[in-house]
Amino acid sequence: MVLTRAHTYTAHGHRAEGHQRLRIGAKRDGTITAIDHDSTQQTSRTEKDSLYNHSTATRLLHACPNLHIAQRAVRLDLPVPAYIRAPEAMASHGLESALDELAYALDMDPVELRLRNHASVNYDTGKPWVSKRLDECYRHGAAAFGWSERDPRPGAMRDGDTLIGSGMAAIAHSAGGIPGSAARVELTTQGKAIVQSATHDLGTGTYTVMSQVAAQVLGLKLADVDFQLGDTAYPSASMSGASSTVPSVGAAVNRACTQARKDLIDLTVADERSPLHGVPADRISAEGGELYVTDLPRRRDSVRAVLTRHGKPLKAGVEPAPETPAQYATGAVFAEVRVDPRLGRVRVTRMLGAFDPGRVLNRRTLRSQVIGSFVWAVGFTLTEHTLVDPHLGRIVNPNLSGYLLPVNADIPEIQALFVDKPDPTSEALGARGFGQAPMCGATAAIGNAVHHATGHRIRDLPITQDKIIRGGR
């Protein structure tokens, strides 16, 4: 089925429009004492009681002893809303914009304000975070961006008639697995592995990353792993959504390959023809397609030789695992803008993100996710806007001729930094989900940079040229 652009407004869901009201209380030293976050979101008259823009970041990012969150829906005769990439982006924008306002009211650096209120406890559970390195993201990101070099006074940085501003924001997005993913492994007599799971690759690198997980756990070369997906004949897998593929399918692949490696080692040490015969299984390691005694690496046997002698493939599989512990990817985004106050034109000239995604499985695919999220954030913040006729309820700009998407010329230099430390609660070799996380907070970083450049706080997105010219009114 092929839809026209106009049909997408009625044939499937879209991001709900929303309104947020925040009140934040703090001491003079920057210690936050209370947050009141009230969100009102659009829904349709046919939709059940579902809200798609959660206030996760308000609960998790910053230490606060008194917290009140309210989320409401207003039924309107408009197309049905749905989960759209990075649902938490809207709530994060409101929170991080309000924190920037608080920093200016306190005459405090926005990074310092967030460091001072870094939450070491998960308020959902009341227990300390097992793995949260947001404070490291603040410090690494600020140093790499050159944050200390900026003049903190709004409107003070100029290049001729062009105003220059920089802003930052924190990010948080759910990063845990969804129950229901399984995998199976077949080690062939050629010493290769076929790994299968009924997941899919949306272009995010699922083929690559799952092959890497399997190769590392099995101790094979990457070229000797064939990861197969996209077939209902394979073991079931959860949806590719909510940044959950790596922690869900990755955990299943890890468990299946761990079982296959154990079975392979047991087969090897029981084989009288193997140089490893009789060695305790816990002393055997696997790497590069070979098994060897950990403390005597010259004593080894190849996976291919073991399975050739065995005469048939070795198979292993796992059933879907129960729900994994709640995990969150966090980080800090920094943005620089140049504003022409006469034309109201805003150009984003630099964006940098420092993130804690747990263990980095593939730096290239992870950086690609950052680029995609930042591109989306530029459009979300500066250009993209669905206009509705208030009298007829029809979409005024249903085609791309009137809906402005960012193009290559609108996208700045993008830099991505990663803490790269394993999350011990993740079965996916310590990696968390990450894909949607960078967009959460990126919109606020751009908006905060516009305020720093102009001195005007524009609270209504997108930040279009007329709003700049009117001074945010």
Side-chain angles (χ1 to χ4, degrees):
M1 181 175 67
V2 179
L3 299 176
T4 67
R5 167 70 180 180
H7 286 154
T8 63
Y9 281 98
T10 54
H12 60 70
H14 64 97
R15 191 186 301 276
E17 187 173 349
H19 176 271
Q20 298 180 68
R21 181 170 74 69
L22 282 107
R23 295 187 298 171
I24 302 178
K27 298 179 180 179
R28 289 291 180 186
D29 66 358
T31 303
I32 295 175
T33 57
I35 299 178
D36 179 11
H37 192 167
D38 192 321
S39 299
T40 304
Q41 302 169 29
Q42 160 212 339
T43 189
S44 72
R45 295 195 182 277
T46 60
E47 178 68 5
K48 295 183 179 179
D49 296 330
S50 298
L51 297 175
Y52 298 99
N53 301 301
H54 306 304
S55 301
T56 306
T58 309
R59 301 199 321 268
L60 301 174
L61 277 181
H62 311 294
C64 180
N66 303 292
L67 181 64
H68 177 260
I69 295 175
Q71 293 184 299
R72 301 178 177 86
V74 177
R75 297 188 186 278
L76 301 173
D77 289 314
L78 289 170
V80 178
Y83 284 113
I84 301 297
R85 188 168 180 80
E88 287 92 333
M90 186 181 294
S92 292
H93 181 88
L95 174 66
E96 293 302 308
S97 299
L99 282 172
D100 198 64
E101 292 197 38
L102 175 62
Y104 280 99
L106 293 170
D107 193 23
M108 179 177 290
D109 183 87
V111 174
E112 177 59 30
L113 174 66
R114 288 165 174 80
L115 281 168
R116 195 161 295 189
N117 292 283
H118 179 260
S120 57
V121 173
N122 181 343
Y123 290 104
D124 281 353
T125 64
K127 299 178 181 178
W129 285 102
V130 176
S131 177
K132 181 187 177 187
R133 298 180 174 86
L134 178 56
D135 52 345
E136 294 183 41
C137 296
Y138 291 141
R139 295 188 179 96
H140 294 337
F145 187 78
W147 182 260
S148 62
E149 299 172 8
R150 78 168 196 155
D151 187 324
R153 297 172 300 165
M157 298 176 64
R158 292 175 175 265
D159 179 7
D161 293 331
T162 300
L163 303 174
I164 301 173
S166 54
M168 61 84 55
I171 68 109
H173 193 282
S174 57
I178 297 175
S181 292
R184 63 172 170 247
V185 183
E186 179 179 316
L187 294 174
T188 71
T189 55
Q190 299 300 310
K192 300 180 184 295
I194 300 172
V195 185
Q196 298 172 333
S197 181
T199 184
H200 30 278
D201 196 326
L202 306 176
T204 54
T206 303
Y207 276 114
T208 302
V209 171
M210 296 307 155
S211 297
Q212 289 181 276
V213 171
Q216 176 161 332
V217 176
L218 292 169
L220 295 177
K221 297 177 182 178
L222 184 61
D224 290 334
V225 174
D226 179 15
F227 182 73
Q228 300 176 352
L229 51 74
D231 193 320
T232 54
Y234 300 156
S236 63
S238 59
M239 68 171 184
S240 284
S243 300
S244 65
T245 300
V246 163
S248 301
V249 181
V253 170
N254 180 20
R255 291 194 305 272
C257 291
T258 298
Q259 183 61 52
R261 184 184 63 189
K262 178 181 181 301
D263 295 344
L264 176 65
I265 291 173
D266 290 343
L267 178 67
T268 303
V269 299
D271 184 357
E272 295 180 353
R273 294 168 291 177
S274 172
L276 304 181
H277 176 250
V279 177
D282 60 2
R283 290 182 57 201
I284 303 297
S285 297
E287 185 178 4
E290 293 191 326
L291 303 171
Y292 61 92
V293 180
T294 305
D295 54 355
L296 192 61
R298 287 181 295 178
R299 188 175 173 184
R300 59 180 57 224
D301 200 354
S302 72
V303 174
R304 180 173 181 175
V306 171
L307 292 170
T308 298
R309 292 193 300 267
H310 185 55
K312 59 181 180 181
L314 186 65
K315 299 180 181 182
V318 291
E319 295 299 316
E323 189 167 3
T324 59
Q327 298 164 355
Y328 297 92
T330 59
V333 178
F334 297 79
E336 178 186 84
V337 300
R338 297 173 72 91
V339 180
D340 184 332
R342 298 166 300 178
L343 301 178
R345 186 175 62 189
V346 179
R347 293 290 189 193
V348 183
T349 50
R350 271 198 306 150
M351 292 187 76
L352 179 145
F355 306 102
D356 175 22
R359 182 180 181 183
V360 175
L361 296 178
N362 187 301
R363 191 169 294 272
R364 178 174 293 180
T365 59
L366 210 62
R367 180 176 179 272
S368 181
Q369 293 292 328
V370 174
I371 293 171
S373 290
F374 282 5
V375 170
W376 204 327
V378 170
F380 189 118
T381 313
L382 300 179
T383 64
E384 296 185 49
H385 190 196
T386 297
L387 298 171
V388 180
D389 187 314
H391 303 292
L392 302 177
R394 61 183 286 270
I395 305 299
V396 177
N397 57 336
N399 297 305
L400 294 179
S401 59
Y403 184 95
L404 302 182
L405 292 169
V407 297
N408 285 348
D410 298 314
I411 303 307
E413 172 190 348
I414 292 173
Q415 188 175 356
L417 308 175
F418 304 104
V419 174
D420 194 8
K421 294 180 181 178
D423 184 335
T425 67
S426 168
E427 283 192 84
L429 303 184
R432 303 191 195 100
F434 180 73
Q436 303 178 62
M439 185 175 168
C440 300
T443 61
I446 296 171
N448 293 339
V450 170
H451 169 261
H452 179 237
T454 65
H456 303 307
R457 182 71 64 177
I458 300 175
R459 298 188 176 93
D460 183 30
L461 298 184
I463 301 174
T464 48
Q465 291 175 260
D466 58 310
K467 295 172 186 174
I468 295 289
I469 294 172
R470 294 199 310 264
R473 296 187 299 276

